[in-house]
Amino acid sequence: MPDPSSQNLNEELNTAKQVLPENVGALTREQLTPGAATSPEGHDVPGHDHRGHHHPPGKRVVDLAGKPADRHAGHSHDPGELDFDEEDDHDHGPAGANPYLTPGISLALLLGGIVLDYYKPGFFTGYVRLAWYGVAYLLVGWKVIRSAVQSIPSGNVFNEFLLMSIATIGAFAIGEYAEGVAVMLFYTVGELFQDAAVNRAKRSIKALLEIQATEVGVLRGGQRLVLDPKEVVVGDVIEVKPGEKVALDGTLLSARGTFNTAALTGESVPQTKQQGEAVLAGMINQDTLSQITVTAGYQDTKLSKILALVQDAVGRKAKTQQFITKFARVYTPIVVGLAVLLTLLPYFFVQDYVFRDWLYRALVFLVISCPCALVISIPLGYFGGIGAASKVGVLFKGSNFLDVMREIDTVVMDKTGTLTKGVFAVQQVVAAPGQDPARFTALAAALEAKSTHPIAQAVVAYAKGSGTALAVDNVEEIAGHGLRGRVDGLDVLAGNTKLLNKFSVAYPAEVDQLVDSIVVVAVDGQYAGYLTVADELKEDAAPAVQELKAQGIGTVVMLSGDKDTIVQRVARQLGITEAHGGLLPEDKAAHVERLKAAGKRLAFVGDGVNDAPVVALADVGIAMGGLGSDATIETADVVIQTDHPSKIATARRIAGATHQVVWQNIWLAFAVKAVVLALGAGGLATMWEAVFADVGVALLAILNAVRIQRMKF
């Protein structure tokens, strides 16, 4: 069975996310859904078999199931070609068929046969018994045998398929039918577990593309037309209603507009744009109807480039062969060769040589050598680790990421939503001399209640309704400055320092040096004080950084789209020595590339859509699952469901414990098999010992793997 700890599963999960960079924005949702099976391009659904299908030379396509194309039985590709195909290595029947049905029938037959063997009814002998177990075996084993045969012409002879086939057929040859069926059944169930993980990742392309707007209002010839964004050309004027996504990059034609930019920059504060300023696809219009002059085509938007960067980063993840395949290339020919020698060589040294006796020994030798215990012990250890992680709110999307998580030496984190709560709150109230803080806060809150801006809402929440009874009228919103109005009979200004300058209100010079976002308040033309508004640190952010350093993580970096002054202050508070602010997604990717080029093994932790490219590029991409965007969660390898950054260190502890248990299982399997193989070669081991060497070790491995679930993390 392909080892779930191998990097190949990483490739399977991640290739499921690939589309070609040049095709980002060009692929339609229909091409990524089951309905595409009927299209001329032949995009498949599970069960749709296209063996023999050949793609035109030079056409590079992608396998949505993540399987390397050359593993398709009887399906040949040119070197480097990938297959845009939703089926996996195995045919599970028609679309919608239950993949567990066939193994379930095989298991029922196996258990029934064992019961019949125990009670020994008269009819259950000879050909009836063979046919009973033969059906159970073929239900789960014929695909493995087919793969073993079809891999021979390519020169890939000694693989796990051949060893599984020889060992189980050998078990049948000496009458141990139940053992042969059980081994093949374990293999098939393991394959289904892997398929389930891969299928879960197939939705990620659609999740990413859902970020892009599917339609846009275009003003042409005095009419408003609703078009597909791909039909809009540079120079067109588009109209974006409040709450709608901006579909294309452009410049603001309206006097002003407020946009949520988190999808692109990670900046948690919505930006107010003035006429002529750039507006990017992926932003969300916050308040008024906005008109935008298009400056870039659909495939050239900043958002499309982000999506392309995700695909490119995923595609560059390293491929490593499966552990069990590497092992089988050495182990299988040695075992098969020894079995042949064990059968024939005694002819030259033993006086009363009996071929059947030595053939029996060789077949027992082969059954003992079957890698069933290894096939079970490796994934069970990892499944135990994944289960233990899920109990504490950490989801590993593939067991291989447990290994990589243990090996990382660098952690790179986003700020907003990762180390901070992503919710604005008033941090400090500073009143001017002679002013009552509670009074000017109530006045400001009464005025800010007329605005929907997040900072205004933070002030209102802080005042806890103290200004609701105050009469408010003549409210005027001054774009890019703040609010002006009469509150309880007083002229009140609430906004930034530009607002006070506009109305010639003097204020202390040190106010201009403040790092946080501020709301400055003036009452009847006199400076009254200010409130600082900031995103709060998560309670466990500082302990998370300290614990990572204690675990030997030599480099902790913070990257953010927020203002660099705020980023540097947060870094100092958390004890992070390297931090960079004001970054776009490509800037974050460049920093990660720099660290990887320096030989760092790194994890990136983020939550926004803008983090998706870097999450994909990192050796381990970690997403915050509570506040995180769907695209980042789908792209990530590990999801922290509780949004606690301290769980990064917890995930590493679980990874270390899992690694230890898995290798205990591996060495146990090797040690026991080595002893029993020697006994089998000497004729001292029967099938009872063979069963212990295989099933017994597997049971011990199960008990050891269960131990992970009981550990405290």
Side-chain angles (χ1 to χ4, degrees), residues 278-309:
V279 180
L280 303 178
M283 293 181 176
I284 299 175
N285 189 10
Q286 294 272 275
D287 47 19
T288 60
L289 182 71
S290 297
Q291 293 183 353
I292 299 167
T293 303
V294 176
T295 59
Y298 186 71
Q299 295 186 36
D300 298 322
T301 64
K302 183 72 69 175
L303 182 56
S304 289
K305 290 177 181 177
I306 289 177
L307 298 181
L309 192 57

Side-chain angles (χ1 to χ4, degrees), residues 81 175 274 300 407 633 644 666:
E81 186 179 4
Q274 305 299 324
D300 298 322
E407 297 167 355
I633 292 170
H644 293 141
I666 290 173

Side-chain angles (χ1 to χ4, degrees), residues 143-152 156 159 161-162 165:
K143 296 173 187 174
V144 177
I145 296 172
R146 183 190 67 181
S147 297
V149 172
Q150 291 179 335
S151 66
I152 294 174
N156 182 22
N159 51 44
F161 303 121
L162 180 66
S165 300

Side-chain angles (χ1 to χ4, degrees), residues 294-536:
V294 176
T295 59
Y298 186 71
Q299 295 186 36
D300 298 322
T301 64
K302 183 72 69 175
L303 182 56
S304 289
K305 290 177 181 177
I306 289 177
L307 298 181
L309 192 57
V310 173
Q311 320 312 330
D312 185 49
V314 168
R316 284 184 279 129
K317 286 206 172 185
K319 293 182 179 180
T320 58
Q321 293 179 309
Q322 303 163 19
F323 167 79
I324 200 72
T325 302
K326 285 183 177 180
F327 171 72
R329 286 180 179 173
V330 177
Y331 178 76
T332 307
I334 291 175
V335 167
V336 173
L338 289 175
V340 173
L341 291 176
L342 186 60
T343 304
L344 303 178
L345 202 58
Y347 173 80
F348 301 100
F349 301 100
V350 178
Q351 273 190 336
D352 50 350
Y353 172 81
V354 179
F355 175 76
R356 288 180 60 86
D357 291 346
W358 288 98
L359 175 62
Y360 177 83
R361 290 189 186 187
L363 292 175
V364 170
F365 182 85
L366 280 175
V367 172
I368 296 170
S369 69
C370 178
C372 183
L374 282 174
V375 164
I376 291 176
S377 66
I378 295 173
L380 272 182
Y382 285 102
F383 293 156
I386 290 173
S390 66
K391 287 183 178 179
V392 296
V394 179
L395 172 63
F396 284 88
K397 287 191 175 180
S399 49
N400 56 308
F401 298 119
L402 282 158
D403 275 342
V404 184
M405 192 72 186
R406 183 184 60 86
E407 297 167 355
I408 62 172
D409 54 27
T410 300
V411 174
V412 182
M413 292 183 275
D414 178 45
K415 179 183 72 69
T416 306
T418 300
L419 294 170
T420 65
K421 295 180 180 179
V423 178
F424 278 91
V426 173
Q427 303 295 313
Q428 189 180 23
V429 177
V430 179
Q435 291 285 340
D436 178 10
R439 175 60 174 168
F440 91 76
T441 300
L443 293 171
L447 186 59
E448 294 283 21
K450 303 302 180 182
S451 172
T452 58
H453 195 284
I455 289 181
Q457 293 171 348
V459 174
V460 174
Y462 177 78
K464 297 179 180 177
S466 62
T468 55
L470 301 178
V472 181
D473 53 28
N474 298 329
V475 177
E476 177 187 359
E477 182 171 356
I478 302 172
H481 292 71
L483 296 173
R484 176 190 184 189
R486 287 191 62 80
V487 181
D488 203 25
L490 302 172
D491 286 325
V492 178
L493 300 174
N496 53 32
T497 54
K498 291 189 293 183
L499 180 66
L500 269 61
N501 288 328
K502 181 178 179 66
F503 291 94
S504 303
V505 177
Y507 59 90
E510 57 264 25
V511 174
D512 286 324
Q513 308 304 316
L514 295 172
V515 173
D516 286 324
S517 300
I518 61 172
V519 176
V520 188
V521 181
V523 179
D524 281 341
Q526 297 295 316
Y527 168 73
Y530 66 85
L531 303 91
T532 62
V533 181
D535 192 3
E536 293 183 279

Side-chain angles (χ1 to χ4, degrees), residues 569-588:
R569 189 199 64 187
V570 172
R572 287 192 296 271
Q573 290 176 323
L574 297 177
I576 296 175
T577 54
E578 183 181 348
H580 306 276
L583 303 178
L584 289 171
E586 54 263 38
D587 301 323
K588 292 183 180 181

Side-chain angles (χ1 to χ4, degrees), residues 231-248:
E231 299 176 9
V232 180
V233 298
V234 174
D236 274 343
V237 175
I238 61 174
E239 202 169 56
V240 184
K241 298 177 182 178
E244 285 186 343
K245 297 174 185 175
V246 178
L248 299 156

